[in-house]
Amino acid sequence: MLSPAEAMEAPNGEAARRRALAVSTASGNIGAIAFSRTGDPDSGDFAEGVVLASFGDVDLDALEG
């Protein structure tokens, strides 16, 4: 059964893309996405995420909702 891994923060979009590419090819993983979102971590209020890159087998439609 497939399940998502824990999200990781990156300092900028390019770092997020590189990290997602590395994660997507790591043993036991089939894909990864890099995304960006804005918000307030203290209140937990965040805007919708924007996908920056997708690597491997990722169903982007499953991310909605």
Side-chain angles (χ1 to χ4, degrees):
M1 179 172 166
L2 298 176
S3 62
E6 188 171 332
M8 296 181 273
E9 290 188 35
N12 57 55
E14 186 55 35
R17 286 181 194 90
R18 286 192 311 266
R19 185 170 290 169
L21 177 59
V23 167
S24 74
T25 60
S27 178
N29 295 334
I30 63 167
I33 62 169
F35 69 95
S36 173
R37 66 180 181 171
T38 59
D40 182 356
D42 293 329
S43 70
D45 186 31
F46 289 93
E48 289 291 317
V50 175
V51 174
L52 303 174
S54 172
F55 303 98
D57 188 9
V58 177
D59 182 2
L60 295 177
D61 292 331
L63 298 174
E64 295 180 12

